[in-house]
Every structure is written in structure tokens, then in C-alpha cells.
Amino acid sequence: MKAQNKVIIVTGGGSGMGRELVLNLLGKGALVAAIDINGTALQETVQLAGSNAGALSVFVTDITDRSAIEGLAEKVISKFGHVDGIINNAGIIQPFIKVNELSYEVIERVMNINFYGTLYLIKTFLPHLLTRPQAHIVDISSMGGFLPVPGQTIYGASKAAVKLLKEGLHSELHGTNVRVTVVFPGGVRTNIMSNSGLADRMGASSSKGAQSILSADKAAAIIINGMEQNRYRVLVGKDAKMMDFLYRLNPGYAAGLIAKKMGALLSSK
Ligand SMILES: NC(=O)c1ccc[n+]([C@@H]2O[C@H](COP(=O)([O-])OP(=O)(O)OC[C@H]3O[C@@H](n4cnc5c(N)ncnc54)[C@H](O)[C@@H]3O)[C@@H](O)[C@H]2O)c1
């Protein structure tokens, strides 16, 4: 679905890829409803939108609150008249801890945001999207949604759930006006560590680490292009492409390679 003149909801629009998705969509002439739990961050996105800010509305909402999301539908539709697309982007990672040591509280929080938050948006807006001439749902999964990363097992499980949710929906919606795309980013330079309540341990804020990681605006451009091309799946970054290839060739070898590379993060918790 082309973005121009469409009304598109972006969750997690206050930071990282979500913010860049908002700015990219506005630049293409879309009308955008940005949702985030962090109101200050959303206001920064409004500032960054500059002369395009008139086409942007922001909604401070927790996507894990199902009744709030259901209430949001009325607000967004009364503001814009209709909705053509959703980009389910808001998400968090987990502390780098093995499942054996991870509390149910943390596990539920990760699943509630990454999986249930995504599901609430879809279940709330799908009946409306089916009435539109054209519509599109984009979900941001992760390279960790097909490749096991030690210390991010529950995060990976939440993103694998998003992958299968999206692939199942794609099949169920075949023959309708609603298109579906699932996105697998590799490493992208954002504040996901601090926004998830963790110290930066992947080097995203160090100058050397920062240089080697894909920027959020480039990732957003790849994602929007994937939506506009109606892609079934979008791999974001060389790392995601390479590991997707390797994982399909030899899953055990690919898992071992990542376990070796990421092992230091786990042991230094
Ligand atoms: N950064 C990466 O390397 C990377 C890699 C693969 C996948 N991803 C995925 O991409 C998506 C965006 O990540 P990012 O790196 O831009 O992160 P980010 O932390 O920069 O942005 C995420 C945004 O989601 C918002 N959010 C968190 N919980 C929320 C809730 N309950 N309700 C509403 N908003 C909420 C945060 O406030 C934040 O503004 C996430 O789903 C993440 O899992 C990121």
C-alpha cells in the first residue's frame, strides 16, 4: 500500500524506529496517528515533524491496556475519518538473563507489550480495515524471532509469536483488501536498551559500536518500502539477511554461532 494520503497508526512513535517511521510516512504525504506510552517522547517527535506536524496526531496510550486501545479506535477515526494502516512497532527487550532465572513478572511484561499489544491493535482495527478500499498491517518482529539468542529467549518467543501471528493473518486475509507484512530487523541503533530499563551493553552508544549498527532512519525507509511493495517479509540490515540465510541452511549451526557471539552479554549480567 502506498503511504501517500493514507491514515496510518504507528505504535512506539516516540523513539527509535517508530519515530523514524512516523517522520518517513509524513514525508511521503501520509496522515499519522502516533501512539506511545511516553508522552514527552511523542512531543519530541511532533517537534521533529516540523512543517509536517499538522498531519500528525499523537496519543499517549499503553498498548497493553486493551480497553484503552479499543477506546483509541473511536478517537483516531473521529480525528481522521478512517484508518488505512497499522505499523505495530512498539516493543521492549528483556534483561540478558536465562529463562531459569527470569521472573514471571518480567516474562509477562515482555509478552504483554510485544505480543498482546500487537494483537490488541490488530483485533481492534481489523474489522474497520476490512471496510477500506486498501489497507495494510505491518508488524515489527526481529531477527531474534527466528534465531535463538541466549539471554533473550522470552523476547525471541514473543517475536516468534508475532511472526506466526502475522503469517497466519496473511493466509487468513488472502483475497481481502488487507495486506500484511512482517519485518525482521537485525541490530538497529536506537534507545531500546534504556527504554527497556537496561544499561547499554551492546555498544550502541559507543562511537565504534554506533558506526557499525544500522541507523533507525535507514531501517524505517526499508520498512516503508517493504509496505509500499506489499512484501510478505522484510529483512532489515545485512546481519538479518545473513542470519536468515544461514538459519535456513543450517539452524543448529546458526544458533551456535549467535550463542558464541552473544555469550559474553549473558555471562556478564
Ligand atoms: N533496535 C534493534 O536493534 C531492534 C532489532 C530488532 C527488532 N527491534 C524491534 O523494533 C521495535 C522498535 O524498537 P526500537 O529499537 O526502535 O526501540 P525504542 O525503545 O527506541 O522504541 C520503542 C518505543 O516503544 C514505546 N513503548 C514501549 N512500551 C510501550 C507500551 N506498553 N505502549 C506504548 N508504547 C510503548 C517506547 O516508549 C518507545 O518509544 C521493537 O518492537 C523492537 O523489538 C529492534
Side-chain angles (χ1 to χ4, degrees):
M1 182 183 78
K2 293 287 178 200
Q4 192 176 26
N5 298 325
K6 301 296 191 313
V7 177
I8 301 178
I9 295 175
V10 179
T11 69
S15 174
M17 277 186 268
R19 169 176 285 167
E20 296 299 335
L21 286 165
V22 170
L23 300 177
N24 188 308
L25 287 169
L26 291 171
K28 285 181 177 281
L31 300 158
V32 182
I35 298 171
D36 206 289
I37 199 169
N38 184 337
T40 311
L42 277 179
Q43 284 312 319
E44 285 167 16
T45 302
V46 174
Q47 293 300 316
L48 289 167
S51 58
N52 289 329
L56 172 63
S57 282
V58 295
F59 301 88
V60 182
T61 311
D62 180 348
I63 61 163
T64 68
D65 183 341
R66 177 150 63 96
S67 57
I69 294 299
E70 287 165 357
L72 190 72
E74 208 182 299
K75 288 185 204 158
V76 177
I77 292 168
S78 74
K79 167 79 192 171
F80 292 108
H82 60 264
V83 174
D84 303 295
I86 309 171
I87 304 185
N88 279 306
N89 161 81
I92 59 165
I93 58 170
Q94 65 167 86
F96 282 86
I97 295 175
K98 290 179 184 172
V99 174
N100 196 28
E101 293 142 22
L102 203 59
S103 70
Y104 278 114
E105 197 188 352
V106 173
I107 291 170
E108 282 165 13
R109 182 171 149 69
V110 171
M111 290 304 292
N112 283 340
I113 295 175
N114 294 357
F115 178 69
Y116 282 102
T118 297
L119 184 65
Y120 296 155
L121 264 292
I122 291 170
K123 289 275 289 168
T124 300
F125 286 94
L126 186 53
H128 174 79
L129 293 180
L130 284 162
T131 68
R132 299 296 303 151
Q134 260 192 312
H136 207 120
I137 304 172
V138 178
D139 269 359
I140 313 299
S141 175
S142 170
M143 181 169 83
F146 62 82
L147 183 71
V149 177
Q152 288 296 324
T153 298
I154 296 300
Y155 171 76
S158 73
K159 291 297 187 176
V162 166
K163 170 185 183 285
L164 261 296
L165 171 67
K166 196 34 69 85
E167 289 173 351
L169 270 176
H170 187 280
S171 300
E172 288 183 6
L173 292 169
H174 182 72
T176 74
N177 54 317
V178 183
R179 300 285 176 270
V180 175
T181 297
V182 60
V183 179
F184 304 100
V188 180
R189 193 164 65 244
T190 70
N191 292 325
I192 195 164
M193 295 285 248
S194 55
N195 287 338
S196 304
L198 311 178
D200 177 10
R201 292 161 64 186
M202 297 213 283
S205 60
S206 76
S207 56
K208 189 168 171 239
Q211 277 165 18
S212 62
I213 301 175
L214 189 70
S215 65
D217 62 324
K218 286 195 179 133
I222 294 167
I223 295 166
I224 303 293
N225 182 54
M227 180 187 80
E228 293 204 310
Q229 306 279 326
N230 286 331
R231 290 269 170 76
Y232 183 74
R233 67 205 289 267
V234 175
L235 293 157
V236 179
K238 286 183 192 155
D239 49 355
K241 284 182 188 160
M242 204 262 278
M243 292 317 297
D244 174 62
F245 175 74
L246 209 55
Y247 183 77
R248 283 190 284 151
L249 205 63
N250 188 335
Y253 177 76
L257 196 73
I258 285 293
K260 209 167 151 189
K261 197 169 157 57
M262 304 298 278
L265 286 172
L266 186 59
S267 58
S268 66
K269 88 177 162 68

